[in-house]
Amino acid sequence: MDQKLSNGHANDPPSSNGHQDSSQPVQEDNTLGKMRKGSPDSFCDLRGGPSMPLFGMDIGGTLTKLVYFEPDNIDDFDQAEQQTLRTIHRYLMGSTAYGTTGIRDVHLEMKEQNICGRQGRIHFIRFPTSQMPAFIDLAKYRKFSGLASGICATGGGAYMFEDVFESEVHLQLHKYDELDSLVKGIHYIDRYNLNSECYYFCNPLDPSSCEKMPFNFQDPYPYLVVNIGSGVSILSVRSKSQYSRVSGTSLGGGTFLGLCCLLTGCETFEEAIELASRGDSENIDKLVKDIYGGDYNKFGLKGDAVASSFGQMMSKEKRKSAKKEDLARATLVTLTNNIGSIARMCAKTEKIERVVFVGNFLRVNTISMKLLAFAMEYWSNGSLKALFLEHEVCIRIAICKILLSQCLDFRFVDP
């Protein structure tokens, strides 16, 4: 269950703009390197460990995610540290924190996590990046600078708000590359979540027989990551230390929400998905059967395949009868089909059979997940498998979850 936090700031939709260019393979740097202001190395000596408390932020184009590690036993801390940890616990775990738009995702809490030699649990909070000015005001009021020496951060907002955090809140944002964090985060969550994390769908478009099946992700290489945030980035991952950005598109979750706001008057991601769940895109799209009268067998196109997204809207009469629910559904199908098509072409080019879909676009969005699962298998004649992660589906991308691990253990190592 989500816990809404009132009196401060936070909410939903997609996250991470997904447009960072990382076209060259990225290799891990095993050297300590020079200490730099605002860099990870300036926050934590790799030979030691950071002091508590531990925070991480993923400041995306639409959504900001906050992660906090809470030690189980604080008795072995000194009195000042104990008081700080108790203050943070009361604040973050209580019912008053980030305003009516703020959510603490209780069901995503990760227990029995060992970080920096301490046992504890990881908590997750989210709020709209548009509320960042109010969050900064809150951080000033709550004197966050007295509770933490710095905050590990990723996403475009880590750069956009860096100076404001330092001048207004007196906290440094110690920046991490978001795509590097994403890849490491996927591995971290899959290995350290106590429950099965990775899964796929059997019979995704058949309500009577559709079933979620666990997938063993212990030896996943190579695989594609399709990170669907405000925009989309597609990564080819060859090992735990090497990946490259092979493609992307500006048509992502932000596009879906923006178009739905224009077409239906909705205001939130959840509202847009709810409308789509009750709509019928066939009233908006032109299908193969609308053109050929049935299947186009020569090229294996089923009659109910979309031939022209929003093609019915060329008709004045069809436009008059269009419902908000149908428009939302057609928008969702259009964006999902586009993402799936690009992902399939990338998988074919890279000669990869596993495609992991992540990002907040998939939160509370089983419609898109099942469409992607069906499309990957159908159009590849069964050679491609669409994979999903429990934490990705429920709330957010894995970027935020690895931040704590990065500031304690900069080099990800398979257990």
Side-chain angles (χ1 to χ4, degrees), residues 312-330:
Q312 299 283 17
M313 295 298 93
M314 292 185 289
S315 165
K316 184 177 181 179
E317 294 304 315
K318 293 284 188 178
R319 289 198 299 271
K320 287 182 178 179
S321 62
K323 298 178 180 179
K324 290 182 178 180
E325 293 84 355
D326 297 342
L327 289 167
R329 182 63 168 245

Side-chain angles (χ1 to χ4, degrees), residues 368-387:
S368 288
M369 286 189 289
K370 291 178 180 180
L371 284 173
L372 290 168
F374 174 80
M376 289 297 103
E377 183 173 1
Y378 180 82
W379 294 110
S380 69
N381 293 318
S383 65
L384 287 180
K385 185 175 291 295
L387 303 175

Side-chain angles (χ1 to χ4, degrees), residues 56-78:
M57 291 185 76
D58 167 23
I59 311 174
T62 306
L63 190 65
T64 292
K65 285 75 60 181
L66 175 70
V67 63
Y68 166 60
F69 175 72
E70 177 194 11
D72 287 339
N73 185 2
I74 66 171
D75 291 340
D76 54 348
F77 291 91
D78 62 36

Side-chain angles (χ1 to χ4, degrees), residues 268-282:
T268 68
F269 183 71
E270 286 86 356
E271 187 179 354
I273 291 295
E274 171 60 23
L275 285 171
S277 70
R278 294 186 277 113
D280 185 350
S281 58
E282 292 190 11

Side-chain angles (χ1 to χ4, degrees), residues 143-244:
K143 295 182 173 58
F144 270 27
S145 60
L147 302 178
S149 58
I151 299 178
C152 293
T154 190
Y159 297 86
M160 180 180 296
F161 296 104
E162 178 182 19
D163 292 341
V164 177
F165 265 91
E166 187 163 352
S167 63
E168 298 291 328
V169 189
H170 306 298
L171 280 176
Q172 277 193 16
L173 295 184
H174 303 277
K175 303 182 293 297
Y176 290 83
D177 178 82
E178 69 176 286
L179 297 183
D180 192 38
S181 297
L182 170 62
V183 173
K184 291 181 178 181
I186 291 173
H187 300 160
Y188 181 85
I189 287 296
D190 182 72
R191 284 158 176 74
Y192 295 104
N193 187 7
L194 299 180
N195 302 312
S196 178
E197 179 70 28
C198 189
Y199 67 93
Y200 64 96
F201 285 103
C202 282
N203 306 312
L205 297 189
D206 185 350
S208 63
S209 61
C210 179
E211 187 177 4
K212 281 174 59 175
M213 302 293 292
F215 183 86
N216 188 334
F217 204 66
Q218 291 297 306
D219 184 22
Y221 311 108
Y223 66 93
L224 281 187
V225 178
V226 182
N227 181 28
I228 316 173
S230 298
V232 181
S233 275
I234 301 179
L235 313 179
S236 172
V237 184
R238 299 290 174 175
S239 74
K240 68 183 177 67
S241 62
Q242 185 179 28
Y243 72 86
S244 60

Side-chain angles (χ1 to χ4, degrees), residues 128-142:
T129 301
S130 61
Q131 295 293 324
M132 183 59 71
F135 173 79
I136 290 172
D137 288 342
L138 184 67
K140 290 168 57 179
Y141 174 73
R142 294 283 181 174

Side-chain angles (χ1 to χ4, degrees), residues 280-287 290 306-313 329-331 333-334 337:
D280 185 350
S281 58
E282 292 190 11
N283 296 327
I284 306 298
D285 297 334
K286 184 164 287 190
L287 308 181
D290 295 325
V306 178
S308 175
S309 296
F310 283 78
Q312 299 283 17
M313 295 298 93
R329 182 63 168 245
T331 303
V333 170
T334 297
N337 284 346

